[in-house]
Structures are given as C-alpha cells and as structure tokens.
Amino acid sequence: MDYKIFKIINQLAGRYSILDMLMILVSNKVRYLFAFVLMSMWFQGHSYRKVIRYALISAAFTLLIDMLIQCFYFKPRPFIKHRVGILIPSKMNSAFLSKHTLLATAVATSIFLRERVLGSVMWGISLLTGFSRIWVGHHYPSDIVRSLFIGSLTSIIVEKVFGSLKIMNRKSKKYYAQIRK
C-alpha cells in the first residue's frame, strides 16, 4: 500500500517541469523560509521569542530522535528498492523519517501552538514539504506521516514541559518571597 501511494505521486515527477521545479524548490529550500519566519518573529517582540525558543528546542529534540532511530533501524529509500523517478540526488541513508519534514513540522507546530494563523500557514508548508519529498523520490508516504507525527508530538511535549516548568518556577518564586518575609 505504501509503495502504491508512493508510485501514484512519484509517477508524476518528470512530466510537468513547472511542478518539478516547485517540488525541488520546496524540498531543498523551504528551510530558509522557516529560518526567515523565525528571524522576523524574533524582531517583532519579546512574546514571540518564547515561540522561537520552543521551536528551536523542538527541532533539536526531533533531530536527536532521528539520530537515535537511524542508529537502530534502516529502511531503504524508494530509489534503492525500486525503479522510480528521482529528481534530485540523495544520500543513501535510511528513509524511515524525513529530516526535512521533521524539522518543518516541529517548527510549524511550535508556532501553531501560540500563533494559530501563522502556524496554520507554516503547517501547510510542512505538508507541502513532505509531499515534495515523495514527489522527488526520496521518501515513502509512511515516512512522511511518521515525520509529521513525531515532529508535532515533540513540539507539543516541549510546550507542555517547558510551560509547566515556567509555572512551577513562578510558584516557587512566590513561595520563596513569602518565606523571606
């Protein structure tokens, strides 16, 4: 089933040069858009800086999760096992998770948890990133779905853990202030 869905999407690669260029652009360069959005948020004020910190922490944790999985599990990329249309060169590492999609989703979810409109747009771009990775022949759909899930889950956990630490820190400061009086 995974290969069938992959084949439906990937067989379109090479047929429409404008779509091919768009998918290659999204697949290779969308990280710069995410960096630009984070930098512009940084200059918009203090309230956005927490979002950026959480997004960077989430991205770091997703990379750590990806590295750990890569150490223990290898899944061949589609172009290794099958004859597929590949638009851009790729590493021969595991296809189990799409690092591009993981990072995009982690950042997009972190933004979405605080800024719904911008986060929704970024999430749409994350989905497009995952789709482009299938289009160019680098990942199966299941790799993308897993990456979307893990990237989102990591961001939600970071938000909950660091948010609750902030609350505990405020409460402890309040109690400490009462004790000092």
Side-chain angles (χ1 to χ4, degrees), residues 91-131:
K91 296 178 182 175
M92 302 294 268
N93 59 353
S94 180
F96 185 70
L97 292 175
S98 166
K99 199 178 296 183
H100 292 80
T101 309
L102 267 175
L103 292 173
T105 306
V107 171
T109 304
S110 293
I111 294 171
F112 179 80
L113 292 171
R114 298 288 178 141
E115 297 292 325
R116 298 281 192 217
V117 175
L118 179 60
S120 296
V121 171
M122 300 309 286
W123 233 93
I125 295 170
S126 296
L127 290 171
L128 183 60
T129 301
F131 184 79

Short mmCIF file of all heavy atoms in Angstrom, two decimals, residues 91-131:
data_model
loop_
_atom_site.label_atom_id
_atom_site.label_comp_id
_atom_site.label_asym_id
_atom_site.label_seq_id
_atom_site.Cartn_x
_atom_site.Cartn_y
_atom_site.Cartn_z
N LYS A 91 21.16 11.26 -0.31
CA LYS A 91 22.04 10.37 0.46
C LYS A 91 21.44 8.98 0.45
O LYS A 91 20.25 8.80 0.23
CB LYS A 91 22.16 10.87 1.90
CG LYS A 91 22.83 12.22 2.01
CD LYS A 91 22.88 12.66 3.46
CE LYS A 91 23.51 14.04 3.56
NZ LYS A 91 23.46 14.53 4.94
N MET A 92 22.25 8.01 0.75
CA MET A 92 21.79 6.62 0.77
C MET A 92 21.43 6.17 2.18
O MET A 92 21.40 4.99 2.47
CB MET A 92 22.89 5.71 0.20
CG MET A 92 23.31 6.08 -1.21
SD MET A 92 22.01 5.81 -2.39
CE MET A 92 22.39 4.16 -2.88
N ASN A 93 21.14 7.13 3.06
CA ASN A 93 20.78 6.77 4.43
C ASN A 93 19.33 6.30 4.52
O ASN A 93 18.64 6.21 3.51
CB ASN A 93 21.06 7.95 5.38
CG ASN A 93 20.29 9.19 5.00
OD1 ASN A 93 19.63 9.25 3.97
ND2 ASN A 93 20.39 10.20 5.83
N SER A 94 18.90 6.03 5.71
CA SER A 94 17.57 5.48 5.93
C SER A 94 16.47 6.46 5.57
O SER A 94 16.59 7.66 5.77
CB SER A 94 17.42 5.08 7.40
OG SER A 94 16.14 4.55 7.65
N ALA A 95 15.38 5.90 5.05
CA ALA A 95 14.22 6.72 4.67
C ALA A 95 13.18 6.76 5.77
O ALA A 95 12.16 7.41 5.61
CB ALA A 95 13.59 6.15 3.40
N PHE A 96 13.43 6.08 6.89
CA PHE A 96 12.40 5.89 7.90
C PHE A 96 11.73 7.20 8.32
O PHE A 96 10.53 7.27 8.45
CB PHE A 96 12.96 5.17 9.12
CG PHE A 96 11.93 4.85 10.16
CD1 PHE A 96 10.97 3.89 9.92
CD2 PHE A 96 11.90 5.53 11.35
CE1 PHE A 96 10.00 3.60 10.86
CE2 PHE A 96 10.94 5.24 12.31
CZ PHE A 96 9.99 4.27 12.05
N LEU A 97 12.52 8.24 8.55
CA LEU A 97 11.97 9.55 8.84
C LEU A 97 12.55 10.56 7.85
O LEU A 97 13.71 10.45 7.48
CB LEU A 97 12.30 9.99 10.27
CG LEU A 97 11.65 9.21 11.39
CD1 LEU A 97 12.18 9.68 12.74
CD2 LEU A 97 10.15 9.32 11.36
N SER A 98 11.76 11.51 7.47
CA SER A 98 12.21 12.60 6.60
C SER A 98 12.66 13.75 7.49
O SER A 98 11.85 14.40 8.15
CB SER A 98 11.07 13.05 5.68
OG SER A 98 11.39 14.28 5.09
N LYS A 99 13.96 13.99 7.50
CA LYS A 99 14.51 15.06 8.34
C LYS A 99 13.94 16.42 7.95
O LYS A 99 13.64 17.25 8.80
CB LYS A 99 16.03 15.07 8.24
CG LYS A 99 16.71 15.80 9.35
CD LYS A 99 18.22 15.74 9.24
CE LYS A 99 18.73 14.34 9.35
NZ LYS A 99 20.19 14.23 9.33
N HIS A 100 13.75 16.64 6.64
CA HIS A 100 13.17 17.90 6.17
C HIS A 100 11.78 18.09 6.78
O HIS A 100 11.45 19.16 7.29
CB HIS A 100 13.05 17.89 4.64
CG HIS A 100 14.35 17.93 3.93
ND1 HIS A 100 15.14 16.81 3.75
CD2 HIS A 100 15.01 18.95 3.33
CE1 HIS A 100 16.21 17.14 3.07
NE2 HIS A 100 16.17 18.44 2.80
N THR A 101 10.96 17.05 6.71
CA THR A 101 9.59 17.13 7.21
C THR A 101 9.57 17.21 8.74
O THR A 101 8.76 17.94 9.31
CB THR A 101 8.77 15.93 6.71
OG1 THR A 101 8.92 15.82 5.30
CG2 THR A 101 7.30 16.07 7.05
N LEU A 102 10.44 16.46 9.39
CA LEU A 102 10.53 16.51 10.85
C LEU A 102 10.77 17.94 11.35
O LEU A 102 10.04 18.43 12.22
CB LEU A 102 11.70 15.65 11.34
CG LEU A 102 11.48 14.22 11.71
CD1 LEU A 102 12.81 13.56 12.04
CD2 LEU A 102 10.52 14.07 12.84
N LEU A 103 11.79 18.57 10.80
CA LEU A 103 12.15 19.91 11.26
C LEU A 103 11.07 20.92 10.92
O LEU A 103 10.72 21.77 11.75
CB LEU A 103 13.49 20.32 10.65
CG LEU A 103 14.70 19.53 11.14
CD1 LEU A 103 15.95 19.89 10.36
CD2 LEU A 103 14.92 19.74 12.62
N ALA A 104 10.54 20.84 9.71
CA ALA A 104 9.49 21.79 9.31
C ALA A 104 8.27 21.64 10.21
O ALA A 104 7.69 22.63 10.66
CB ALA A 104 9.11 21.56 7.85
N THR A 105 7.90 20.41 10.52
CA THR A 105 6.72 20.18 11.35
C THR A 105 6.96 20.60 12.79
O THR A 105 6.06 21.17 13.43
CB THR A 105 6.31 18.69 11.29
OG1 THR A 105 6.16 18.32 9.92
CG2 THR A 105 5.03 18.44 12.03
N ALA A 106 8.15 20.33 13.31
CA ALA A 106 8.46 20.74 14.69
C ALA A 106 8.35 22.26 14.83
O ALA A 106 7.73 22.76 15.78
CB ALA A 106 9.85 20.26 15.08
N VAL A 107 8.91 22.99 13.90
CA VAL A 107 8.86 24.45 13.96
C VAL A 107 7.43 24.94 13.73
O VAL A 107 6.93 25.79 14.46
CB VAL A 107 9.84 25.07 12.92
CG1 VAL A 107 9.64 26.58 12.83
CG2 VAL A 107 11.28 24.74 13.30
N ALA A 108 6.75 24.38 12.74
CA ALA A 108 5.39 24.81 12.43
C ALA A 108 4.44 24.55 13.59
O ALA A 108 3.59 25.39 13.90
CB ALA A 108 4.88 24.09 11.18
N THR A 109 4.57 23.42 14.24
CA THR A 109 3.70 23.10 15.37
C THR A 109 3.98 24.03 16.55
O THR A 109 3.05 24.48 17.22
CB THR A 109 3.85 21.63 15.79
OG1 THR A 109 3.58 20.79 14.66
CG2 THR A 109 2.91 21.26 16.91
N SER A 110 5.25 24.32 16.79
CA SER A 110 5.59 25.26 17.86
C SER A 110 4.97 26.62 17.60
O SER A 110 4.45 27.27 18.52
CB SER A 110 7.11 25.40 18.00
OG SER A 110 7.67 24.20 18.44
N ILE A 111 5.01 27.06 16.37
CA ILE A 111 4.39 28.34 16.02
C ILE A 111 2.88 28.24 16.15
O ILE A 111 2.22 29.13 16.71
CB ILE A 111 4.80 28.78 14.60
CG1 ILE A 111 6.30 29.08 14.54
CG2 ILE A 111 3.99 30.01 14.15
CD1 ILE A 111 6.85 29.30 13.15
N PHE A 112 2.31 27.15 15.68
CA PHE A 112 0.86 26.96 15.71
C PHE A 112 0.30 26.99 17.13
O PHE A 112 -0.80 27.50 17.36
CB PHE A 112 0.48 25.64 15.02
CG PHE A 112 -0.99 25.36 15.04
CD1 PHE A 112 -1.83 25.98 14.13
CD2 PHE A 112 -1.54 24.49 15.97
CE1 PHE A 112 -3.20 25.73 14.15
CE2 PHE A 112 -2.89 24.23 16.00
CZ PHE A 112 -3.73 24.86 15.07
N LEU A 113 1.03 26.44 18.08
CA LEU A 113 0.55 26.39 19.46
C LEU A 113 0.40 27.79 20.07
O LEU A 113 -0.36 27.96 21.03
CB LEU A 113 1.49 25.54 20.31
CG LEU A 113 1.48 24.04 19.97
CD1 LEU A 113 2.59 23.32 20.73
CD2 LEU A 113 0.13 23.42 20.26
N ARG A 114 1.07 28.79 19.52
CA ARG A 114 0.99 30.16 20.05
C ARG A 114 0.32 31.13 19.08
O ARG A 114 -0.33 32.06 19.49
CB ARG A 114 2.40 30.68 20.36
CG ARG A 114 3.13 29.91 21.42
CD ARG A 114 2.51 30.17 22.76
NE ARG A 114 3.18 29.38 23.78
CZ ARG A 114 3.45 29.83 24.96
NH1 ARG A 114 3.11 31.04 25.30
NH2 ARG A 114 4.02 29.05 25.84
N GLU A 115 0.54 30.93 17.79
CA GLU A 115 0.03 31.83 16.75
C GLU A 115 -0.70 30.98 15.71
O GLU A 115 -0.07 30.42 14.81
CB GLU A 115 1.18 32.60 16.08
CG GLU A 115 1.92 33.51 17.01
CD GLU A 115 1.08 34.68 17.47
OE1 GLU A 115 0.26 35.18 16.68
OE2 GLU A 115 1.23 35.08 18.64
N ARG A 116 -2.01 30.86 15.85
CA ARG A 116 -2.79 29.93 15.03
C ARG A 116 -2.72 30.22 13.53
O ARG A 116 -2.55 29.29 12.74
CB ARG A 116 -4.26 29.93 15.46
CG ARG A 116 -4.45 29.48 16.87
CD ARG A 116 -4.38 27.99 16.96
NE ARG A 116 -4.85 27.58 18.27
CZ ARG A 116 -4.33 26.59 18.94
NH1 ARG A 116 -3.36 25.89 18.44
NH2 ARG A 116 -4.79 26.27 20.12
N VAL A 117 -2.85 31.47 13.12
CA VAL A 117 -2.90 31.78 11.69
C VAL A 117 -1.55 31.50 11.03
O VAL A 117 -1.47 30.75 10.05
CB VAL A 117 -3.34 33.25 11.45
CG1 VAL A 117 -3.28 33.59 9.98
CG2 VAL A 117 -4.75 33.47 11.99
N LEU A 118 -0.50 32.09 11.56
CA LEU A 118 0.83 31.86 11.00
C LEU A 118 1.21 30.38 11.12
O LEU A 118 1.78 29.80 10.19
CB LEU A 118 1.87 32.73 11.71
CG LEU A 118 3.32 32.57 11.24
CD1 LEU A 118 3.45 32.90 9.75
CD2 LEU A 118 4.24 33.44 12.07
N GLY A 119 0.88 29.76 12.24
CA GLY A 119 1.17 28.34 12.43
C GLY A 119 0.45 27.46 11.42
O GLY A 119 1.01 26.48 10.93
N SER A 120 -0.78 27.83 11.08
CA SER A 120 -1.52 27.05 10.08
C SER A 120 -0.86 27.14 8.71
O SER A 120 -0.76 26.14 7.99
CB SER A 120 -2.97 27.55 9.98
OG SER A 120 -3.64 27.34 11.20
N VAL A 121 -0.40 28.35 8.37
CA VAL A 121 0.30 28.52 7.09
C VAL A 121 1.58 27.70 7.09
O VAL A 121 1.89 26.99 6.11
CB VAL A 121 0.60 30.02 6.83
CG1 VAL A 121 1.53 30.20 5.63
CG2 VAL A 121 -0.69 30.80 6.64
N MET A 122 2.33 27.76 8.18
CA MET A 122 3.58 27.01 8.28
C MET A 122 3.33 25.50 8.26
O MET A 122 4.11 24.74 7.69
CB MET A 122 4.36 27.42 9.54
CG MET A 122 4.73 28.89 9.59
SD MET A 122 5.57 29.49 8.12
CE MET A 122 7.16 28.76 8.32
N TRP A 123 2.22 25.09 8.86
CA TRP A 123 1.87 23.66 8.84
C TRP A 123 1.55 23.22 7.41
O TRP A 123 1.93 22.14 6.99
CB TRP A 123 0.70 23.38 9.78
CG TRP A 123 1.02 22.28 10.73
CD1 TRP A 123 1.55 22.42 11.98
CD2 TRP A 123 0.90 20.88 10.51
NE1 TRP A 123 1.74 21.19 12.54
CE2 TRP A 123 1.35 20.23 11.66
CE3 TRP A 123 0.44 20.12 9.45
CZ2 TRP A 123 1.37 18.85 11.79
CZ3 TRP A 123 0.47 18.74 9.58
CH2 TRP A 123 0.92 18.13 10.74
N GLY A 124 0.86 24.07 6.68
CA GLY A 124 0.58 23.77 5.27
C GLY A 124 1.87 23.63 4.48
O GLY A 124 2.00 22.73 3.63
N ILE A 125 2.84 24.49 4.76
CA ILE A 125 4.14 24.40 4.10
C ILE A 125 4.86 23.12 4.51
O ILE A 125 5.55 22.50 3.70
CB ILE A 125 4.97 25.67 4.36
CG1 ILE A 125 4.28 26.87 3.72
CG2 ILE A 125 6.39 25.52 3.84
CD1 ILE A 125 4.87 28.20 4.11
N SER A 126 4.70 22.70 5.76
CA SER A 126 5.28 21.43 6.22
C SER A 126 4.69 20.25 5.45
O SER A 126 5.42 19.33 5.05
CB SER A 126 5.03 21.22 7.71
OG SER A 126 5.66 22.19 8.47
N LEU A 127 3.38 20.27 5.26
CA LEU A 127 2.73 19.22 4.48
C LEU A 127 3.25 19.22 3.04
O LEU A 127 3.51 18.16 2.46
CB LEU A 127 1.21 19.39 4.49
CG LEU A 127 0.51 19.11 5.81
CD1 LEU A 127 -0.96 19.52 5.73
CD2 LEU A 127 0.63 17.64 6.18
N LEU A 128 3.40 20.40 2.47
CA LEU A 128 3.94 20.51 1.12
C LEU A 128 5.37 19.99 1.06
O LEU A 128 5.77 19.34 0.09
CB LEU A 128 3.86 21.96 0.64
CG LEU A 128 4.32 22.22 -0.80
CD1 LEU A 128 3.47 21.43 -1.80
CD2 LEU A 128 4.27 23.71 -1.10
N THR A 129 6.13 20.25 2.11
CA THR A 129 7.50 19.74 2.18
C THR A 129 7.50 18.21 2.14
O THR A 129 8.26 17.59 1.39
CB THR A 129 8.21 20.23 3.45
OG1 THR A 129 8.22 21.65 3.45
CG2 THR A 129 9.62 19.70 3.55
N GLY A 130 6.65 17.61 2.97
CA GLY A 130 6.55 16.15 2.97
C GLY A 130 6.13 15.61 1.61
O GLY A 130 6.69 14.63 1.11
N PHE A 131 5.13 16.24 1.01
CA PHE A 131 4.66 15.82 -0.31
C PHE A 131 5.78 15.93 -1.34
O PHE A 131 5.96 15.04 -2.17
CB PHE A 131 3.45 16.66 -0.72
CG PHE A 131 2.83 16.24 -2.02
CD1 PHE A 131 1.98 15.14 -2.05
CD2 PHE A 131 3.10 16.92 -3.19
CE1 PHE A 131 1.41 14.74 -3.25
CE2 PHE A 131 2.54 16.52 -4.39
CZ PHE A 131 1.69 15.42 -4.43
#
